[in-house]
Amino acid sequence: MSAAFPSSLFDRVRFIMVEPSHPGNVGAAARAIKTMGFTKLTLVRPHLDDVLAHPDAIALSSGATDVLAGAEIVPDLAAGMRHVTLALALTARPRDLGPPNCDIRQAASLSVEHLTSGGSDEVAIVLGTERAGLTNEQIARCQRICQIPANPAYSSLNVAQALQLAAWELRYALNAESSFSTGGAVRPGDRLAGNEAVQALLAHWEEALIGIQFLDPAHPKKLMLRMRHLLTRSNLSQDEVDMLRGVCTAMLKTAQLARPL
């Protein structure tokens, strides 16, 4: 690992596997992470409760049993992303509606900018199930869709293989950046809001839009999905989230006063 990049930067990269069904893929993912200098693996609702102790997982981790044993298991994607401020959805399928697209090398470059911005922000690479990938709802929680430019005639990649390529690009981008500076202290309010704070804002925003009758909950169409993409990709700071939640509170109060007695 380059001396210019303390291990703390690598420690702020998380790889999230959503509903993995094959324990061998989980073990191979742990190996892929460790070979590139990363340590954080999160599993969202794995199909097997004992996946971390499964013989196939241990065998395919090939010595990365420390990463495997330290993997976090969470009940849903929101819990896995609670400290994440930049989430990259790794998917092979293009989406008509969703976060902006980039390839995996651009995603790695964005991640380096994010990690070296002077805060304590955390980046996540999010991978879906072996069979179906990520759902639109799961992708909507991410700031970017990223793709691996594989052979268009045969772009099928095992999830552990895809994770290995993502980890390699991230390591390469970190090591290629020769001048790392923290840029001095960052005010708490200037730091990017975590995913948990952004999701709470979205819930508050939806409540406010219903309150002022801009959103009809019986016929929402794609309004909240578009709002989610707008706010998720905006890289909101904590101060900006607090400001927008204040706007939501004011909207709800105004709507309540406007109702006939």
Side-chain angles (χ1 to χ4, degrees), residues 230-258:
L230 170 64
L231 294 175
T232 301
R233 72 169 180 258
S234 296
N235 292 331
L236 297 170
S237 69
Q238 187 58 55
D239 276 353
E240 290 167 338
V241 165
D242 293 342
M243 176 185 68
L244 287 173
R245 294 205 63 173
V247 171
C248 292
T249 299
M251 289 164 67
L252 287 165
K253 286 182 179 178
T254 302
Q256 187 175 18
L257 289 172

PDB file of all heavy atoms in Angstrom, residues 230-258:
ATOM      1  N   LEU A 230     -33.117  12.966  -7.662  1.00  0.00           N
ATOM      2  CA  LEU A 230     -32.606  14.333  -7.599  1.00  0.00           C
ATOM      3  C   LEU A 230     -31.831  14.575  -6.305  1.00  0.00           C
ATOM      4  O   LEU A 230     -30.693  15.060  -6.330  1.00  0.00           O
ATOM      5  CB  LEU A 230     -33.772  15.317  -7.703  1.00  0.00           C
ATOM      6  CG  LEU A 230     -33.438  16.790  -7.427  1.00  0.00           C
ATOM      7  CD1 LEU A 230     -32.472  17.327  -8.470  1.00  0.00           C
ATOM      8  CD2 LEU A 230     -34.709  17.635  -7.391  1.00  0.00           C
ATOM      9  N   LEU A 231     -32.425  14.224  -5.177  1.00  0.00           N
ATOM     10  CA  LEU A 231     -31.796  14.510  -3.894  1.00  0.00           C
ATOM     11  C   LEU A 231     -30.635  13.566  -3.603  1.00  0.00           C
ATOM     12  O   LEU A 231     -29.655  13.956  -2.978  1.00  0.00           O
ATOM     13  CB  LEU A 231     -32.840  14.432  -2.777  1.00  0.00           C
ATOM     14  CG  LEU A 231     -33.932  15.516  -2.837  1.00  0.00           C
ATOM     15  CD1 LEU A 231     -34.983  15.278  -1.767  1.00  0.00           C
ATOM     16  CD2 LEU A 231     -33.333  16.909  -2.674  1.00  0.00           C
ATOM     17  N   THR A 232     -30.730  12.324  -4.073  1.00  0.00           N
ATOM     18  CA  THR A 232     -29.659  11.361  -3.802  1.00  0.00           C
ATOM     19  C   THR A 232     -28.388  11.713  -4.552  1.00  0.00           C
ATOM     20  O   THR A 232     -27.284  11.566  -4.031  1.00  0.00           O
ATOM     21  CB  THR A 232     -30.115   9.942  -4.176  1.00  0.00           C
ATOM     22  OG1 THR A 232     -31.274   9.609  -3.414  1.00  0.00           O
ATOM     23  CG2 THR A 232     -29.019   8.917  -3.866  1.00  0.00           C
ATOM     24  N   ARG A 233     -28.515  12.182  -5.782  1.00  0.00           N
ATOM     25  CA  ARG A 233     -27.320  12.470  -6.578  1.00  0.00           C
ATOM     26  C   ARG A 233     -26.734  13.849  -6.306  1.00  0.00           C
ATOM     27  O   ARG A 233     -25.705  14.212  -6.862  1.00  0.00           O
ATOM     28  CB  ARG A 233     -27.630  12.337  -8.062  1.00  0.00           C
ATOM     29  CG  ARG A 233     -28.503  13.427  -8.656  1.00  0.00           C
ATOM     30  CD  ARG A 233     -28.507  13.337 -10.174  1.00  0.00           C
ATOM     31  NE  ARG A 233     -29.324  14.365 -10.767  1.00  0.00           N
ATOM     32  CZ  ARG A 233     -30.551  14.192 -11.243  1.00  0.00           C
ATOM     33  NH1 ARG A 233     -31.121  12.987 -11.184  1.00  0.00           N
ATOM     34  NH2 ARG A 233     -31.236  15.191 -11.768  1.00  0.00           N
ATOM     35  N   SER A 234     -27.390  14.640  -5.436  1.00  0.00           N
ATOM     36  CA  SER A 234     -26.973  16.029  -5.220  1.00  0.00           C
ATOM     37  C   SER A 234     -25.826  16.182  -4.226  1.00  0.00           C
ATOM     38  O   SER A 234     -25.378  17.300  -3.980  1.00  0.00           O
ATOM     39  CB  SER A 234     -28.171  16.863  -4.744  1.00  0.00           C
ATOM     40  OG  SER A 234     -29.165  16.920  -5.749  1.00  0.00           O
ATOM     41  N   ASN A 235     -25.371  15.088  -3.614  1.00  0.00           N
ATOM     42  CA  ASN A 235     -24.266  15.159  -2.641  1.00  0.00           C
ATOM     43  C   ASN A 235     -24.533  16.223  -1.578  1.00  0.00           C
ATOM     44  O   ASN A 235     -23.731  17.133  -1.359  1.00  0.00           O
ATOM     45  CB  ASN A 235     -22.943  15.431  -3.349  1.00  0.00           C
ATOM     46  CG  ASN A 235     -22.494  14.275  -4.214  1.00  0.00           C
ATOM     47  OD1 ASN A 235     -22.819  13.129  -3.927  1.00  0.00           O
ATOM     48  ND2 ASN A 235     -21.769  14.556  -5.274  1.00  0.00           N
ATOM     49  N   LEU A 236     -25.671  16.105  -0.929  1.00  0.00           N
ATOM     50  CA  LEU A 236     -26.087  17.102   0.062  1.00  0.00           C
ATOM     51  C   LEU A 236     -25.197  17.065   1.301  1.00  0.00           C
ATOM     52  O   LEU A 236     -24.836  15.989   1.789  1.00  0.00           O
ATOM     53  CB  LEU A 236     -27.533  16.842   0.483  1.00  0.00           C
ATOM     54  CG  LEU A 236     -28.591  16.971  -0.614  1.00  0.00           C
ATOM     55  CD1 LEU A 236     -29.930  16.452  -0.103  1.00  0.00           C
ATOM     56  CD2 LEU A 236     -28.718  18.412  -1.082  1.00  0.00           C
ATOM     57  N   SER A 237     -24.855  18.243   1.795  1.00  0.00           N
ATOM     58  CA  SER A 237     -24.141  18.319   3.065  1.00  0.00           C
ATOM     59  C   SER A 237     -25.146  18.165   4.202  1.00  0.00           C
ATOM     60  O   SER A 237     -26.367  18.254   4.002  1.00  0.00           O
ATOM     61  CB  SER A 237     -23.424  19.668   3.192  1.00  0.00           C
ATOM     62  OG  SER A 237     -24.378  20.713   3.348  1.00  0.00           O
ATOM     63  N   GLN A 238     -24.642  17.958   5.420  1.00  0.00           N
ATOM     64  CA  GLN A 238     -25.539  17.827   6.567  1.00  0.00           C
ATOM     65  C   GLN A 238     -26.311  19.114   6.789  1.00  0.00           C
ATOM     66  O   GLN A 238     -27.508  19.092   7.118  1.00  0.00           O
ATOM     67  CB  GLN A 238     -24.753  17.456   7.826  1.00  0.00           C
ATOM     68  CG  GLN A 238     -25.632  17.131   9.023  1.00  0.00           C
ATOM     69  CD  GLN A 238     -26.587  15.980   8.743  1.00  0.00           C
ATOM     70  OE1 GLN A 238     -26.173  14.903   8.346  1.00  0.00           O
ATOM     71  NE2 GLN A 238     -27.885  16.202   8.944  1.00  0.00           N
ATOM     72  N   ASP A 239     -25.649  20.278   6.602  1.00  0.00           N
ATOM     73  CA  ASP A 239     -26.349  21.561   6.746  1.00  0.00           C
ATOM     74  C   ASP A 239     -27.481  21.675   5.725  1.00  0.00           C
ATOM     75  O   ASP A 239     -28.568  22.186   6.034  1.00  0.00           O
ATOM     76  CB  ASP A 239     -25.370  22.729   6.545  1.00  0.00           C
ATOM     77  CG  ASP A 239     -24.611  23.069   7.822  1.00  0.00           C
ATOM     78  OD1 ASP A 239     -24.935  22.493   8.884  1.00  0.00           O
ATOM     79  OD2 ASP A 239     -23.686  23.907   7.763  1.00  0.00           O
ATOM     80  N   GLU A 240     -27.236  21.225   4.498  1.00  0.00           N
ATOM     81  CA  GLU A 240     -28.269  21.300   3.452  1.00  0.00           C
ATOM     82  C   GLU A 240     -29.446  20.382   3.768  1.00  0.00           C
ATOM     83  O   GLU A 240     -30.606  20.751   3.534  1.00  0.00           O
ATOM     84  CB  GLU A 240     -27.657  20.961   2.094  1.00  0.00           C
ATOM     85  CG  GLU A 240     -26.713  22.039   1.582  1.00  0.00           C
ATOM     86  CD  GLU A 240     -25.863  21.595   0.401  1.00  0.00           C
ATOM     87  OE1 GLU A 240     -25.677  20.359   0.221  1.00  0.00           O
ATOM     88  OE2 GLU A 240     -25.381  22.463  -0.332  1.00  0.00           O
ATOM     89  N   VAL A 241     -29.162  19.202   4.290  1.00  0.00           N
ATOM     90  CA  VAL A 241     -30.237  18.303   4.705  1.00  0.00           C
ATOM     91  C   VAL A 241     -31.061  18.943   5.820  1.00  0.00           C
ATOM     92  O   VAL A 241     -32.304  18.937   5.789  1.00  0.00           O
ATOM     93  CB  VAL A 241     -29.668  16.946   5.163  1.00  0.00           C
ATOM     94  CG1 VAL A 241     -30.712  16.133   5.925  1.00  0.00           C
ATOM     95  CG2 VAL A 241     -29.184  16.145   3.966  1.00  0.00           C
ATOM     96  N   ASP A 242     -30.379  19.529   6.807  1.00  0.00           N
ATOM     97  CA  ASP A 242     -31.088  20.189   7.911  1.00  0.00           C
ATOM     98  C   ASP A 242     -31.937  21.350   7.390  1.00  0.00           C
ATOM     99  O   ASP A 242     -33.076  21.552   7.847  1.00  0.00           O
ATOM    100  CB  ASP A 242     -30.087  20.699   8.945  1.00  0.00           C
ATOM    101  CG  ASP A 242     -29.361  19.565   9.674  1.00  0.00           C
ATOM    102  OD1 ASP A 242     -29.857  18.423   9.632  1.00  0.00           O
ATOM    103  OD2 ASP A 242     -28.292  19.831  10.256  1.00  0.00           O
ATOM    104  N   MET A 243     -31.400  22.110   6.434  1.00  0.00           N
ATOM    105  CA  MET A 243     -32.143  23.229   5.856  1.00  0.00           C
ATOM    106  C   MET A 243     -33.408  22.745   5.150  1.00  0.00           C
ATOM    107  O   MET A 243     -34.507  23.279   5.347  1.00  0.00           O
ATOM    108  CB  MET A 243     -31.256  23.988   4.868  1.00  0.00           C
ATOM    109  CG  MET A 243     -31.973  25.112   4.129  1.00  0.00           C
ATOM    110  SD  MET A 243     -30.918  25.873   2.868  1.00  0.00           S
ATOM    111  CE  MET A 243     -30.784  24.522   1.685  1.00  0.00           C
ATOM    112  N   LEU A 244     -33.277  21.701   4.333  1.00  0.00           N
ATOM    113  CA  LEU A 244     -34.425  21.183   3.586  1.00  0.00           C
ATOM    114  C   LEU A 244     -35.463  20.565   4.521  1.00  0.00           C
ATOM    115  O   LEU A 244     -36.672  20.666   4.267  1.00  0.00           O
ATOM    116  CB  LEU A 244     -33.962  20.163   2.554  1.00  0.00           C
ATOM    117  CG  LEU A 244     -33.229  20.757   1.343  1.00  0.00           C
ATOM    118  CD1 LEU A 244     -32.653  19.653   0.463  1.00  0.00           C
ATOM    119  CD2 LEU A 244     -34.175  21.640   0.524  1.00  0.00           C
ATOM    120  N   ARG A 245     -35.007  19.952   5.599  1.00  0.00           N
ATOM    121  CA  ARG A 245     -35.973  19.424   6.560  1.00  0.00           C
ATOM    122  C   ARG A 245     -36.699  20.557   7.270  1.00  0.00           C
ATOM    123  O   ARG A 245     -37.878  20.427   7.620  1.00  0.00           O
ATOM    124  CB  ARG A 245     -35.273  18.493   7.551  1.00  0.00           C
ATOM    125  CG  ARG A 245     -34.740  17.232   6.902  1.00  0.00           C
ATOM    126  CD  ARG A 245     -34.595  16.085   7.857  1.00  0.00           C
ATOM    127  NE  ARG A 245     -35.872  15.667   8.407  1.00  0.00           N
ATOM    128  CZ  ARG A 245     -36.030  14.587   9.169  1.00  0.00           C
ATOM    129  NH1 ARG A 245     -34.981  13.815   9.438  1.00  0.00           N
ATOM    130  NH2 ARG A 245     -37.197  14.260   9.648  1.00  0.00           N
ATOM    131  N   GLY A 246     -36.016  21.694   7.458  1.00  0.00           N
ATOM    132  CA  GLY A 246     -36.693  22.868   8.004  1.00  0.00           C
ATOM    133  C   GLY A 246     -37.763  23.383   7.048  1.00  0.00           C
ATOM    134  O   GLY A 246     -38.848  23.796   7.475  1.00  0.00           O
ATOM    135  N   VAL A 247     -37.463  23.337   5.739  1.00  0.00           N
ATOM    136  CA  VAL A 247     -38.454  23.717   4.724  1.00  0.00           C
ATOM    137  C   VAL A 247     -39.662  22.781   4.798  1.00  0.00           C
ATOM    138  O   VAL A 247     -40.814  23.226   4.740  1.00  0.00           O
ATOM    139  CB  VAL A 247     -37.822  23.679   3.317  1.00  0.00           C
ATOM    140  CG1 VAL A 247     -38.887  23.863   2.241  1.00  0.00           C
ATOM    141  CG2 VAL A 247     -36.757  24.762   3.177  1.00  0.00           C
ATOM    142  N   CYS A 248     -39.407  21.477   4.949  1.00  0.00           N
ATOM    143  CA  CYS A 248     -40.500  20.506   5.061  1.00  0.00           C
ATOM    144  C   CYS A 248     -41.390  20.817   6.261  1.00  0.00           C
ATOM    145  O   CYS A 248     -42.624  20.767   6.162  1.00  0.00           O
ATOM    146  CB  CYS A 248     -39.934  19.099   5.198  1.00  0.00           C
ATOM    147  SG  CYS A 248     -39.108  18.474   3.737  1.00  0.00           S
ATOM    148  N   THR A 249     -40.762  21.122   7.390  1.00  0.00           N
ATOM    149  CA  THR A 249     -41.520  21.443   8.601  1.00  0.00           C
ATOM    150  C   THR A 249     -42.392  22.670   8.382  1.00  0.00           C
ATOM    151  O   THR A 249     -43.570  22.710   8.765  1.00  0.00           O
ATOM    152  CB  THR A 249     -40.568  21.662   9.786  1.00  0.00           C
ATOM    153  OG1 THR A 249     -39.822  20.453  10.013  1.00  0.00           O
ATOM    154  CG2 THR A 249     -41.324  22.034  11.043  1.00  0.00           C
ATOM    155  N   ALA A 250     -41.818  23.685   7.725  1.00  0.00           N
ATOM    156  CA  ALA A 250     -42.577  24.906   7.450  1.00  0.00           C
ATOM    157  C   ALA A 250     -43.730  24.635   6.488  1.00  0.00           C
ATOM    158  O   ALA A 250     -44.835  25.181   6.643  1.00  0.00           O
ATOM    159  CB  ALA A 250     -41.648  25.972   6.871  1.00  0.00           C
ATOM    160  N   MET A 251     -43.509  23.803   5.488  1.00  0.00           N
ATOM    161  CA  MET A 251     -44.564  23.449   4.536  1.00  0.00           C
ATOM    162  C   MET A 251     -45.731  22.767   5.255  1.00  0.00           C
ATOM    163  O   MET A 251     -46.907  23.070   5.007  1.00  0.00           O
ATOM    164  CB  MET A 251     -43.994  22.528   3.448  1.00  0.00           C
ATOM    165  CG  MET A 251     -43.050  23.220   2.479  1.00  0.00           C
ATOM    166  SD  MET A 251     -42.046  22.040   1.502  1.00  0.00           S
ATOM    167  CE  MET A 251     -43.309  21.240   0.498  1.00  0.00           C
ATOM    168  N   LEU A 252     -45.403  21.844   6.151  1.00  0.00           N
ATOM    169  CA  LEU A 252     -46.447  21.119   6.874  1.00  0.00           C
ATOM    170  C   LEU A 252     -47.230  22.048   7.806  1.00  0.00           C
ATOM    171  O   LEU A 252     -48.456  21.946   7.921  1.00  0.00           O
ATOM    172  CB  LEU A 252     -45.825  19.967   7.662  1.00  0.00           C
ATOM    173  CG  LEU A 252     -45.354  18.786   6.809  1.00  0.00           C
ATOM    174  CD1 LEU A 252     -44.441  17.865   7.608  1.00  0.00           C
ATOM    175  CD2 LEU A 252     -46.556  17.997   6.279  1.00  0.00           C
ATOM    176  N   LYS A 253     -46.519  22.958   8.475  1.00  0.00           N
ATOM    177  CA  LYS A 253     -47.199  23.913   9.360  1.00  0.00           C
ATOM    178  C   LYS A 253     -48.123  24.827   8.567  1.00  0.00           C
ATOM    179  O   LYS A 253     -49.262  25.110   8.970  1.00  0.00           O
ATOM    180  CB  LYS A 253     -46.165  24.739  10.127  1.00  0.00           C
ATOM    181  CG  LYS A 253     -45.470  23.984  11.246  1.00  0.00           C
ATOM    182  CD  LYS A 253     -44.496  24.879  11.989  1.00  0.00           C
ATOM    183  CE  LYS A 253     -43.821  24.118  13.128  1.00  0.00           C
ATOM    184  NZ  LYS A 253     -42.815  24.973  13.844  1.00  0.00           N
ATOM    185  N   THR A 254     -47.631  25.318   7.410  1.00  0.00           N
ATOM    186  CA  THR A 254     -48.439  26.201   6.565  1.00  0.00           C
ATOM    187  C   THR A 254     -49.682  25.474   6.043  1.00  0.00           C
ATOM    188  O   THR A 254     -50.781  26.019   6.013  1.00  0.00           O
ATOM    189  CB  THR A 254     -47.599  26.715   5.377  1.00  0.00           C
ATOM    190  OG1 THR A 254     -46.456  27.406   5.895  1.00  0.00           O
ATOM    191  CG2 THR A 254     -48.412  27.645   4.495  1.00  0.00           C
ATOM    192  N   ALA A 255     -49.488  24.211   5.636  1.00  0.00           N
ATOM    193  CA  ALA A 255     -50.607  23.416   5.137  1.00  0.00           C
ATOM    194  C   ALA A 255     -51.656  23.207   6.233  1.00  0.00           C
ATOM    195  O   ALA A 255     -52.871  23.265   5.980  1.00  0.00           O
ATOM    196  CB  ALA A 255     -50.117  22.083   4.621  1.00  0.00           C
ATOM    197  N   GLN A 256     -51.188  22.985   7.471  1.00  0.00           N
ATOM    198  CA  GLN A 256     -52.114  22.772   8.581  1.00  0.00           C
ATOM    199  C   GLN A 256     -52.907  24.034   8.886  1.00  0.00           C
ATOM    200  O   GLN A 256     -54.117  23.993   9.114  1.00  0.00           O
ATOM    201  CB  GLN A 256     -51.329  22.332   9.823  1.00  0.00           C
ATOM    202  CG  GLN A 256     -52.212  21.922  10.992  1.00  0.00           C
ATOM    203  CD  GLN A 256     -51.406  21.374  12.146  1.00  0.00           C
ATOM    204  OE1 GLN A 256     -50.199  21.594  12.227  1.00  0.00           O
ATOM    205  NE2 GLN A 256     -52.052  20.659  13.046  1.00  0.00           N
ATOM    206  N   LEU A 257     -52.263  25.210   8.835  1.00  0.00           N
ATOM    207  CA  LEU A 257     -52.949  26.474   9.102  1.00  0.00           C
ATOM    208  C   LEU A 257     -53.942  26.809   7.991  1.00  0.00           C
ATOM    209  O   LEU A 257     -54.952  27.472   8.237  1.00  0.00           O
ATOM    210  CB  LEU A 257     -51.911  27.604   9.202  1.00  0.00           C
ATOM    211  CG  LEU A 257     -51.021  27.578  10.450  1.00  0.00           C
ATOM    212  CD1 LEU A 257     -49.907  28.622  10.341  1.00  0.00           C
ATOM    213  CD2 LEU A 257     -51.865  27.825  11.709  1.00  0.00           C
ATOM    214  N   ALA A 258     -53.658  26.344   6.761  1.00  0.00           N
ATOM    215  CA  ALA A 258     -54.527  26.661   5.637  1.00  0.00           C
ATOM    216  C   ALA A 258     -55.791  25.814   5.591  1.00  0.00           C
ATOM    217  O   ALA A 258     -56.748  26.121   4.887  1.00  0.00           O
ATOM    218  CB  ALA A 258     -53.771  26.499   4.328  1.00  0.00           C
TER     219      ALA A 258
END
